[in-house]
């Protein structure tokens, strides 16, 4: 396995391919051993051979893509954990993709647990800060399309009552300012979400607090916005985990 991995690494360093003898030499393998491993790697799809030269195959490229995706996700997971510990609140990362609200990552602790998803987050975007923040970043047509598919229905006594009222609220949301809600999705909970726009991707990071700590919601949201701004350079490439 280690010898095969060395050969794969050597092939990856040659964009325009390399012959078996060169790969054997670079990997420190006897030529017969290298030939055997190369044939096996070609058979398994990790390499392909063209005119005596070896290139990475589809299986290796899928591994590379998967590894890159894991690295991007790890970047976001680490960032959320840092913000969680710095601010002392649960932190959420979500994005709007293919017409859906997606909660991509949540970072909490036993002492500061995340809000329980008791009603489908995708269908109740009008009620929680994450959804309201994402919807506020969409253009009018996309926003109306979402509400046509997921009509506004009160989730708690504090939820927005209808689509017209929600659209009016969206119009009042100022660009790059936190979106807050109090007990609109879950009784006893207040939340704030800040918009993150990288290219055409609508995304958000959010926090939640128990109602008795509502007084620190805005200051915690400001701290979150500061931390996101500080880390946005490293997060930008990972925004689509």
């Amino acid at each position: 396995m280690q010898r095969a991995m060395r050969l794969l690494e050597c092939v990856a360093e040659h964009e325009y391919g390399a012959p078996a003898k060169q790969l054997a030499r670079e990997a420190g393998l006897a030529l017969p051993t290298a030939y055997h491993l190369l044939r096996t790697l070609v058979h398994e799809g990790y390499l392909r051979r063209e005119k005596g030269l070896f290139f990475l195959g589809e299986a290796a490229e899928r591994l590379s893509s998967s590894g890159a995706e894991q690295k991007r996700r790890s970047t976001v997971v680490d960032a959320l954990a840092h913000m969680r510990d710095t601010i002392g609140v649960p932190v959420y990362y979500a994005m709007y993709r293919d017409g859906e609200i997606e909660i991509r990552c949540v970072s909490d602790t036993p002492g500061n647990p995340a809000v329980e998803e008791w009603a489908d987050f995708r269908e109740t975007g009008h009620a929680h800060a994450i959804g309201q923040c994402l919807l506020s970043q969409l253009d009018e047509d996309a926003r109306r399309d979402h509400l046509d598919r997921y009509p506004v229905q009160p989730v708690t006594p504090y939820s927005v009552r209808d689509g017209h009222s929600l659209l009016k609220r969206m119009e009042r949301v100022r660009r790059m300012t936190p979106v807050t809600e109090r007990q609109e999705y879950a009784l006893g909970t207040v939340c704030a979400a800040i918009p993150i726009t990288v290219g055409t991707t609508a995304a958000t990071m959010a926090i939640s607090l128990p109602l008795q700590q509502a007084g620190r919601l805005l200051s915690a949201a400001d701290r979150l916005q500061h931390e996101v701004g500080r880390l946005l350079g490293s997060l930008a490439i990972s925004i689509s985990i």
Side-chain angles (χ1 to χ4, degrees):
M1 176 63 76
Q2 290 180 340
R3 294 179 298 181
M5 290 300 296
R6 287 208 303 272
L7 279 172
L8 280 174
E9 291 170 354
C10 290
V11 173
E13 293 175 358
H14 295 282
E15 182 180 356
Y16 300 104
K21 288 184 178 180
Q22 181 178 357
L23 293 170
R25 184 172 63 252
E26 292 178 357
L29 299 174
L31 188 56
T33 301
Y35 270 127
H36 171 72
L37 291 171
L38 289 168
R39 282 196 299 269
T40 301
L41 290 168
V42 169
H43 177 73
E44 297 294 335
Y46 291 100
L47 295 179
R48 56 185 173 86
R49 186 178 184 182
E50 294 181 11
K51 299 179 181 179
L53 301 178
F54 291 89
F55 302 81
L56 289 180
E58 290 185 2
E61 290 170 354
R62 285 196 300 271
L63 277 177
S64 176
S65 175
S66 176
E69 181 176 347
Q70 288 182 2
K71 185 174 182 180
R72 290 195 299 270
R73 181 172 179 81
S74 177
T75 297
V76 174
V77 169
D78 290 347
L80 260 65
H82 167 77
M83 296 175 195
R84 175 202 68 203
D85 294 341
T86 299
I87 308 171
V89 295
V91 183
Y92 311 75
Y93 169 65
M95 61 188 301
Y96 196 83
R97 185 163 63 178
D98 298 329
E100 300 291 348
I101 293 169
E102 296 184 6
I103 308 295
R104 305 292 289 173
C105 188
V106 179
S107 187
D108 64 353
T109 63
N112 290 299
V115 176
E116 181 181 354
E117 185 179 358
W118 72 274
D120 193 321
F121 278 135
R122 294 171 300 175
E123 299 177 6
T124 57
H126 60 279
H128 48 74
I130 287 173
Q132 292 176 25
C133 187
L134 291 173
L135 292 174
S136 72
Q137 296 177 63
L138 305 180
D139 61 37
E140 184 175 349
D141 289 342
R143 195 178 297 156
R144 289 184 180 277
D145 171 73
H146 182 90
L147 296 178
D148 285 343
R149 289 181 290 114
Y150 299 115
V152 172
Q153 296 180 351
V155 179
T156 75
Y158 302 94
S159 304
V160 65
R161 312 310 292 178
D162 54 65
H164 178 73
S165 300
L166 179 69
L167 290 172
K168 286 294 185 182
R169 180 189 293 187
M170 296 292 96
E171 292 174 2
R172 295 194 298 270
V173 174
R174 290 182 295 172
R175 179 176 170 79
M176 304 313 292
T177 58
V179 175
T180 62
E181 59 91 355
R182 294 172 183 253
Q183 304 192 90
E184 293 184 44
Y185 174 78
L187 294 176
T189 302
V190 297
C191 301
I194 63 168
I196 304 172
T197 304
V198 179
T200 58
T201 301
T204 181
M205 286 197 181
I207 57 174
S208 62
L209 284 166
L211 182 61
Q212 60 267 31
Q213 297 182 36
R216 58 182 290 240
L217 181 65
L218 291 180
S219 62
D222 287 342
R223 186 70 183 275
L224 176 69
Q225 196 157 31
H226 171 77
E227 291 295 327
V228 169
R230 192 171 63 83
L231 296 172
L232 191 56
S234 61
L235 285 173
I237 197 170
S238 308
I239 209 70
S240 61
I241 56 173

